[in-house]
Amino acid sequence: MTEGFETLAIHAGQEADPHTGAVVPPIYAVSTYKQDGVGGLRSGYEYSRSANPTRTALEEAMAAVEGGTRGLAFASGLAAEDAVLRTVCRPGDHVIIPNDAYGGTYRLFAKVHERWGLHYDPVALDNMNAVGAAITPKTKIIWVETPTNPLLGISDIAALADLAHDCGALLVVDNTFASPYLQQPLALGADIVVHSTTKYVGGHSDVVGGALVAKDPELGERLAYHQNAMGAVAGPFDAWLTLRGLKTLAVRMERHCDNAERVADLLLAHPKVISVLYPGLPEHPGHEIAAKQMRRFGGMVSFRVAGGEADAVEICNRAKLFTLGESLGGVESLIEHPGRMTHASAAGSPLEVPGDLVRLSVGIESIDDLLADLTQALS
Ligand code: P1T
């Protein structure tokens, strides 16, 4: 019998502790492990950069909820992304990236890996002809965010997987905005899923982390080799907090989606708002594909305002219950101005975001309080 998502999130990799019966994997705050003679491991563990039992529990749980064969936990989402690029690509290779993506992801390509000879092209991934035209004999990865950060664009994971595989490339999907509860890219044909577990998986804005899940065991092994060789692993306390968050992901996501739908409706009816970017809206250009590949439409809502950048900034400053801050995916609602905050590093690039854009991470507070705060911030 295949277990359901909620069961896997709570139990996969999380057997009761064999020594004490503790129902939660303990925080193994330890760097090294006693060995039974040279080369004879007692427990399978030798050094906590290579593996640590608390991290292993998180890694097994992430692999289970994404339906992959290997999960790996990193110190941050960007550390996880870096490990993918260093494992799969070498100088001279080419990567197709989204023309809308987290600013830090773009910076990793444009300011770090390009210096080491990795070429990239930003492409509108909802345009299959454009993606096909951008492929070169050196293309090793099509890198996808769906929904994208911060414009909530949607691309067709299954179609992009076919395209990538036809040209011998891998499809890598950053599943941070959807979370594994709402979308499972490996089942749709992706090869690697990337997460900033800082966001919905952790869920409480109290830990920074990243994860990779690979479909193929051999690729998982290569990623694990680089995780150990590069060393940007999640520490045991961070792994424990992230695993604690994962257990409640399903119930949190349902409420995030309920609240985001109500927020999108309010914004849609507001005279100061010129467009609402939410894939749950039937008029969203990616709505049909989102409905096909996502369980629901998520907790992120962006909108553009009639008064331009000055008004967008003013709305961010006036919000009270929506806390002004970067990041997303926690239980508390956040508001931000992507152009000046999370995506400032994309200014002047093909990924620059409009100045009149406001991004909301809709939390799980009482919906009436959230709507009242937005109404006063927009007034
Ligand atoms: O911050 P870190 O854990 O390193 O994750 C980077 C990252 C990767 N992918 C996506 C889609 C992301 O949104 C992020 C981080 N994003 C924010 C901090 C933000 O406010 O958008």
Side-chain angles (χ1 to χ4, degrees):
M1 194 190 79
T2 316
E3 289 166 320
F5 183 92
E6 291 84 342
T7 307
L8 293 172
I10 294 168
H11 293 288
Q14 303 166 70
E15 297 297 313
D17 179 52
H19 305 297
T20 63
V23 298
V24 172
I27 302 170
Y28 282 88
V30 65
S31 59
T32 192
Y33 305 79
K34 181 175 164 71
Q35 305 196 7
D36 289 335
V38 174
L41 298 185
R42 173 176 290 226
S43 59
Y45 291 95
E46 60 181 356
Y47 185 59
S48 278
R49 170 164 40 71
S50 311
N52 170 283
T54 316
R55 196 175 93 223
T56 301
L58 171 62
E59 292 177 335
E60 290 183 1
M62 284 300 297
V65 296
E66 283 287 6
T69 61
R70 187 73 182 256
L72 298 165
F74 289 82
S76 69
L78 284 176
E81 293 181 16
D82 190 37
V84 172
L85 296 179
R86 289 185 198 275
T87 301
V88 176
C89 301
R90 48 179 65 215
D93 284 343
H94 174 253
V95 178
I96 293 176
I97 65 167
N99 68 350
D100 178 44
Y102 170 55
T105 297
Y106 176 70
R107 186 176 54 200
L108 181 66
F109 284 99
K111 304 287 185 207
V112 180
H113 281 273
E114 195 181 38
R115 286 179 52 216
W116 295 93
L118 183 65
H119 305 295
Y120 66 91
D121 273 313
V123 177
L125 297 185
D126 56 357
N127 178 345
M128 298 303 288
N129 291 336
V131 182
I135 290 172
T136 79
K138 293 280 193 184
T139 304
K140 290 293 184 304
I141 294 177
I142 300 180
W143 188 285
V144 176
E145 259 184 38
T146 182
T148 59
N149 179 2
L151 297 176
L152 283 305
I154 298 291
S155 51
D156 187 330
I157 296 172
L160 287 166
D162 286 345
L163 199 59
H165 297 155
D166 282 350
C167 70
L170 298 180
L171 191 79
V172 176
V173 177
D174 184 332
N175 203 25
T176 299
F177 264 37
S179 88
Y181 177 67
L182 296 180
Q183 177 170 274
Q184 306 212 299
L186 300 182
L188 296 164
D191 300 286
I192 300 173
V193 166
V194 177
H195 278 284
S196 169
T197 53
T198 315
K199 312 299 179 330
Y200 288 106
V201 173
H204 297 76
S205 304
D206 51 12
V207 60
V208 170
L212 299 177
V213 181
K215 182 150 70 183
D216 169 60
E218 191 269 332
L219 179 58
E221 199 51 46
R222 281 164 57 211
L223 291 165
Y225 177 87
H226 280 79
Q227 180 198 38
N228 179 51
M230 291 162 57
V233 295
F237 187 57
D238 288 356
W240 186 87
L241 274 173
T242 306
L243 191 55
R244 178 160 119 141
L246 179 65
K247 289 172 193 280
T248 57
L249 179 67
V251 289
R252 284 186 287 106
M253 288 316 296
E254 289 290 348
R255 182 59 67 87
H256 281 295
C257 294
D258 290 345
N259 284 356
E261 286 169 13
R262 295 282 304 278
V263 162
D265 286 344
L266 177 135
L267 294 170
L268 214 49
H270 201 285
K272 277 199 177 168
V273 174
I274 52 173
S275 67
V276 182
L277 313 178
Y278 185 61
L281 297 171
E283 56 268 44
H284 185 288
H287 176 69
E288 265 176 42
I289 290 167
K292 188 180 73 172
Q293 67 190 17
M294 298 176 77
R295 193 194 293 251
R296 293 184 69 185
F297 303 102
M300 298 300 295
V301 182
S302 294
F303 61 99
R304 299 179 70 172
V305 295
E309 177 153 353
D311 245 25
V313 167
E314 194 47 41
I315 290 163
C316 291
N317 286 335
R318 266 203 302 265
K320 295 194 176 82
L321 185 54
F322 277 83
T323 303
L324 178 62
E326 304 202 354
S327 201
L328 59 116
V331 291
E332 64 287 298
S333 294
L334 298 175
I335 189 167
E336 67 124 1
H337 185 265
R340 293 205 192 162
M341 295 170 66
T342 50
H343 291 67
S345 61
S349 83
L351 277 80
E352 180 168 319
V353 296
D356 60 5
L357 186 77
V358 176
R359 189 188 77 179
L360 303 175
S361 172
V362 182
I364 63 171
E365 299 96 334
S366 309
I367 185 62
D368 290 343
D369 297 331
L370 294 178
L371 298 180
D373 188 42
L374 276 181
T375 304
Q376 72 77 22
L378 281 158
S379 64

